[in-house]
Amino acid sequence: MTINIFNFFKKNYPFDKERKLTMFKNFFFFTKGEKTGLIILTLLIFIAFAVNASFNQILPGNTLTESEYGNEIEQFKQEMDQKDAEKHSEKGNTFAMQKEDKRQKFQKRSTNLPRNFISIEINSADTADLKQLEGIGSVYSKRIVKFRNYLGGFHSLEQLKEVYGIDEPLFLSIRKNLTLDTAKIRRFNINCDSFTFKFRHPYLSKNEVKAILKARKSKEKIRKEELPLLLSLSEEKWNKLSPYIVE
């Protein structure tokens, strides 16, 4: 089978000596341009190797082994951890100093304002006065003043318990430091004062105000003692409202 194939190629594709030489030259020899390209490529490769060798000699320390590289990373982590610890320590010291400063200021204020011995007139006190009371801060002092102005003043210390947030224990703790001047109460006249400016009182509902205004149209004068019957007021509500009405 092999011999037949060889004879087939020999018969149909004859190779003479000159043709073989031509094929050999075409395969192993280069043109002038190709030779020039090979020379340039060889020079470039040589230059690249030379430059790489020179850099290795100039910078011999840049090449690290795996263990040396690991040591460098570990050292960097330790330095960063140390910096973080120092930063947190500084913040902690600053916070401690601020806390101590506030404590000293509070002690100084407590010394200057002996809360157990102060006396405050509730109908003329402002928020700064009220904050001297034990348990009364900015929020409660503002609520007390707002409710007092809404009422027209307190006629009884018990009315403080109507201020939102002031329960029985807190009231009892500050009561000994409070005095009351009922002469400072703002009163209104049911026969001549206008609804807009005088009758907006927390102890009078809108319907009760309308009943007073309606009675004023039909009567020459409304007597104070007529109001409980006119408005169907309970004894408890009348006792709270009557101090604010002009006789």
Side-chain angles (χ1 to χ4, degrees):
M1 181 70 178
T2 305
I3 297 173
N4 292 334
I5 293 174
F6 178 77
N7 291 331
F8 173 79
F9 275 100
K10 186 175 181 182
K11 180 179 179 181
N12 292 281
Y13 301 97
F15 292 92
D16 54 10
K17 184 177 181 180
E18 184 178 354
R19 187 176 180 182
K20 290 179 180 179
L21 182 61
T22 301
M23 290 178 64
F24 180 78
K25 287 182 178 181
N26 290 337
F27 185 79
F28 287 102
F29 290 89
F30 304 98
T31 64
K32 185 176 180 181
E34 292 173 339
K35 290 179 180 180
T36 303
L38 285 172
I39 294 171
I40 293 173
L41 179 61
T42 303
L43 287 174
L44 290 175
I45 294 172
F46 176 76
I47 292 171
F49 276 109
V51 170
N52 185 49
S54 63
F55 270 108
N56 289 334
Q57 291 180 355
I58 295 172
L59 302 172
N62 286 348
T63 304
L64 297 176
T65 63
E66 185 176 353
S67 60
E68 290 173 340
Y69 183 71
N71 292 335
E72 289 284 343
I73 293 177
E74 188 63 28
Q75 184 178 357
F76 177 75
K77 287 182 178 179
Q78 291 176 357
E79 291 177 356
M80 293 301 295
D81 291 340
Q82 184 178 358
K83 289 181 179 179
D84 289 340
E86 291 175 355
K87 187 181 294 184
H88 288 303
S89 177
E90 290 177 359
K91 288 183 178 179
N93 292 335
T94 302
F95 177 76
M97 291 174 64
Q98 290 176 348
K99 188 174 181 181
E100 178 64 20
D101 186 52
K102 288 182 179 179
R103 186 183 67 82
Q104 291 177 357
K105 287 181 178 179
F106 178 78
Q107 289 179 345
K108 184 178 180 181
R109 187 178 67 177
S110 299
T111 302
N112 294 336
L113 300 173
R115 294 184 173 184
N116 293 331
F117 302 98
I118 60 177
S119 179
I120 296 176
E121 200 288 301
I122 193 65
N123 279 332
S124 58
D126 57 18
T127 55
D129 296 328
L130 294 172
K131 282 192 287 186
Q132 298 179 55
L133 296 168
E134 190 69 39
I136 302 298
S138 298
V139 175
Y140 283 152
S141 61
K142 289 178 181 178
R143 288 178 184 174
I144 292 172
V145 171
K146 184 177 181 179
F147 185 64
R148 182 191 67 196
N149 294 338
Y150 193 31
L151 283 172
F154 296 105
H155 64 75
S156 170
L157 291 179
E158 295 290 328
Q159 289 176 286
L160 281 171
K161 291 188 286 187
E162 298 178 36
V163 177
Y164 180 75
I166 298 183
D167 53 13
E168 186 71 20
L170 180 56
F171 170 72
L172 293 177
S173 69
I174 64 175
R175 183 176 182 177
K176 60 183 178 295
N177 300 109
L178 300 176
T179 61
L180 183 66
D181 183 1
T182 56
K184 292 182 170 63
I185 294 177
R186 184 181 69 250
R187 296 176 172 84
F188 59 89
N189 191 316
I190 56 176
N191 288 292
C192 59
D193 287 333
S194 65
F195 166 75
T196 305
F197 296 102
K198 295 291 184 179
F199 281 11
R200 288 184 297 180
H201 197 278
Y203 294 156
L204 278 176
S205 67
K206 186 176 181 180
N207 289 332
E208 289 168 346
V209 171
K210 287 182 178 179
I212 293 173
L213 296 177
K214 184 177 180 180
R216 275 169 41 168
K217 292 180 180 180
S218 60
K219 289 188 175 186
E220 183 178 348
K221 183 179 181 179
I222 304 173
R223 292 181 299 172
K224 180 178 178 179
E225 57 268 21
E226 293 178 7
L227 280 181
L229 182 60
L230 177 65
L231 303 179
S232 300
L233 300 177
S234 65
E235 182 179 358
E236 180 184 1
K237 185 169 183 179
W238 174 243
N239 291 335
K240 293 170 63 175
L241 176 63
S242 61
Y244 299 98
I245 301 175
V246 176
E247 295 288 347

